[in-house]
Amino acid sequence: MSELFLVPSPIGNLKEVSPRVIEVLNSVDYVACEDTRNTSKLLNLLGLNKRCVSCHEHNENMESDKIISSLLEGKNVAYLSDAGYPCISDPGSILVKKAIENNIKVTPLSGPNAFLNALVGSGIDSSHFLFYGFLDSKESKRESELEKLKYLPYTLIFYEAPHRINDTLKSMEKILGNRKITVARELTKLHEEFIRSDLASLNRGNSTFIGELVIIVDKYNEVEKNDFDDYLPKLELLLKAGYKLKDATSIISLLFNVNKNKLYKRVIKKD
Ligand code: SAM
């Protein structure tokens, strides 16, 4: 039975290539990859001489059909993106979907990934998290994406480019409010660094961020949030529509994960 191997590649440190990765790369009939120059370099460093074909964001639909045909003919293929896991903010998902549709065995190997390193080293709660990947580069779209994430009770994880991070941090503070944040840069490389701070301090600090970056933002935490004023206009609308104060506060509490009693007390100005 032929097999499609999903092979994670180093995110910086070449020593993170596992013996199993080398064994699989050595055994497959050929390698498909996001960028043949990058992957050929890696294969050369590992002393492997394999044919590489390109399958990237812009040709994945067409190229994956060719790869599927060769898998159906009995070939074994490894797929690699430029760094980390294929399919994680990288191409590969179309190929995997087609392989599954064609009953081809899909075997992912374990290995490097930028957001997991960032999360576990961040010091921010890792029990429940949401990996978002890249936010939109346009301010208005980025901020509406953040609006959708604002009330989630999960640690939020983003990839970002160094030339955009200052704008992104400003949008985050504006929409999410001040929260704990860790910027993890150059993971597994010589200049690896974890900047553990909060959004307001980073935005006032004129920091410059160089290299590859992951942003970890603490979850929405209504217990720490003292400011219920955001909800007053919504509450007023419900009161105008005829709801009793108790029912209106219950609705807001359910919709936005806000403490009902604190909101109630805020409205009747007991707090
Ligand atoms: N597939 C990769 C993975 O599994 O992590 C992610 C690829 S995505 C196109 C590239 C982004 O990942 C970068 O812009 C950066 O946000 C993050 N990244 C990759 N390598 C990194 C590193 N060594 N340190 C910090 N972030 C990194």
Side-chain angles (χ1 to χ4, degrees), residues 73-208:
E73 283 164 12
K75 300 261 191 294
N76 289 324
V77 182
Y79 184 72
L80 289 85
S81 63
D82 278 351
Y85 273 74
C87 312
I88 301 296
S89 298
D90 263 345
S93 305
I94 297 174
L95 178 62
V96 171
K97 190 166 169 275
K98 287 184 184 170
I100 294 165
E101 283 164 4
N102 284 279
N103 293 319
I104 292 161
K105 187 172 179 204
V106 176
T107 304
L109 272 56
S110 306
N113 159 265
F115 83 73
L116 282 174
N117 280 36
L119 176 66
V120 298
S122 68
I124 294 177
D125 183 14
S126 58
S127 48
H128 303 284
F129 58 86
L130 184 134
F131 168 69
Y132 195 82
F134 290 97
L135 287 161
D136 202 280
S137 55
K138 284 203 198 87
E139 185 179 340
S140 58
K141 281 196 178 166
R142 178 168 69 229
E143 295 190 351
S144 71
E145 288 175 298
L146 287 166
E147 285 285 357
K148 291 184 191 137
L149 304 172
K150 183 172 179 178
Y151 297 109
L152 295 178
Y154 314 121
T155 294
L156 303 173
I157 307 176
F158 304 91
Y159 284 159
E160 193 47 287
H163 64 280
R164 282 208 296 255
I165 187 168
N166 287 322
D167 289 341
T168 299
L169 294 179
K170 284 192 187 85
S171 294
M172 284 178 170
E173 187 184 357
K174 178 174 161 197
I175 307 297
L176 306 177
N178 192 20
R179 294 193 189 183
K180 262 202 304 184
I181 177 172
T182 293
V183 177
R185 51 178 293 271
E186 295 292 88
L187 292 160
T188 78
K189 303 184 198 175
L190 186 63
H191 298 292
E192 176 175 286
E193 186 183 13
F194 286 86
I195 301 152
R196 301 180 182 94
S197 184
D198 60 74
L199 277 163
S201 310
L202 280 191
N203 282 330
R204 308 296 167 273
N206 268 342
S207 322
T208 45

Side-chain angles (χ1 to χ4, degrees), residues 14-25:
L14 289 178
K15 289 185 190 145
E16 295 199 338
V17 175
S18 72
R20 186 176 180 215
V21 163
I22 298 173
E23 187 184 86
V24 165
L25 289 176

